[in-house]
Amino acid sequence: MAQNSKIEGHAGKDRQPAAAKRILDVARDLFYRQGIRAIGVDEIVRTAGVAKPSLYRAFSSKDELAASYLRQYDREFWERFDDAVTAHPDDPRAQILAFLTRVGQRTQTPAYRGCGMTNAAVEYPQADHPARRVSEDNKRELRRRLREMARGMGAADADTLGDGLLLLIEGAYISGQLFGADGPAQAVARNAELLIDASPKAGG
């Protein structure tokens, strides 16, 4: 009997990570499509097909679940960004244009709901909220990288160009939700190209 209990206990441990992944996958889908505040814990566990205690064993609170969703979103965001960088070594202009071309394409898909980070920052204005902190960290790092890319392009005022690119990106995220297919977000890469080319060069 003791041996059976040990086996059952081990199986329970194996199931817990699977349950946590299921909960996070469901939460991610619901949070992205409908907003974090709009979705309650009961809906998440019902959709995931798990008991509520399973959620609280994996995540201490709904706030922590939201932060976990955004940390996953953050990792995938930087994977896409780094893919564009890797595809064009030592060419920051081509890197950002490649990244923005993909952004423009995603804004044209029916399921597009903007940037999960931007959406979360709007939902949670409190600076100490876990979801807000993840979102702010992502945006601050993006701003830093865009300014660095602008310096790599030889811009005379790299900080202003980097910030201009950030504003274009955020505008694409919002307008993609408002206009959908054939909206202005599809041209975000072309507008970035115009902005880059119009920016004075250092020593020019």
Side-chain angles (χ1 to χ4, degrees):
M1 179 67 71
Q3 185 177 1
N4 289 340
S5 297
K6 184 177 180 180
I7 292 171
E8 289 170 4
H10 181 72
K13 288 181 181 179
D14 286 345
R15 283 195 298 270
Q16 187 171 343
K21 182 180 185 306
R22 175 66 179 157
I23 290 165
L24 184 56
D25 288 346
V26 166
R28 176 185 178 130
D29 177 64
L30 293 173
F31 287 163
Y32 182 74
R33 288 192 294 109
Q34 301 182 43
I36 299 172
R37 287 186 181 274
I39 300 299
V41 167
D42 289 342
E43 184 172 357
I44 292 169
V45 298
R46 184 174 62 252
T47 305
V50 300
K52 190 178 289 188
S54 296
L55 186 150
Y56 288 116
R57 277 197 298 270
F59 307 97
S60 59
S61 64
K62 181 189 169 185
D63 287 348
E64 178 53 33
L65 176 58
S68 295
Y69 146 61
L70 291 171
R71 283 191 286 268
Q72 183 182 68
Y73 194 105
D74 178 73
R75 288 192 297 272
E76 294 173 2
F77 174 88
W78 291 119
E79 285 174 5
R80 293 192 298 272
F81 193 95
D82 290 340
D83 282 347
V85 170
T86 302
H88 301 278
D90 302 318
D91 190 348
R93 185 178 187 277
Q95 291 167 356
I96 191 59
L97 294 179
F99 174 73
L100 292 180
T101 296
R102 295 175 192 174
V103 170
Q105 291 168 347
R106 286 199 304 278
T107 66
Q108 303 301 290
T109 59
Y112 188 72
R113 276 276 291 124
C115 172
M117 295 290 184
T118 300
N119 296 343
V122 172
E123 285 197 82
Y124 293 100
Q126 309 95 326
D128 61 344
H129 192 280
R132 174 76 184 207
R133 289 199 296 269
V134 177
S135 299
E136 281 196 8
D137 287 346
N138 174 274
K139 298 301 181 182
R140 291 182 188 281
E141 175 61 12
L142 177 59
R143 186 187 190 198
R144 186 193 69 77
R145 292 200 193 190
L146 291 173
R147 287 179 161 196
E148 184 178 298
M149 287 173 136
R151 280 190 288 275
M153 292 180 228
D157 188 348
D159 288 351
T160 296
L161 175 56
D163 286 353
L165 292 170
L166 180 59
L167 291 171
L168 278 176
I169 293 170
E170 293 297 326
Y173 292 152
I174 297 299
S175 64
Q177 299 185 65
L178 291 171
F179 294 94
D182 299 323
Q186 66 181 327
V188 63
R190 176 56 180 153
N191 279 285
E193 189 174 30
L194 293 171
L195 180 62
I196 292 166
D197 290 346
S199 298
K201 301 301 180 185

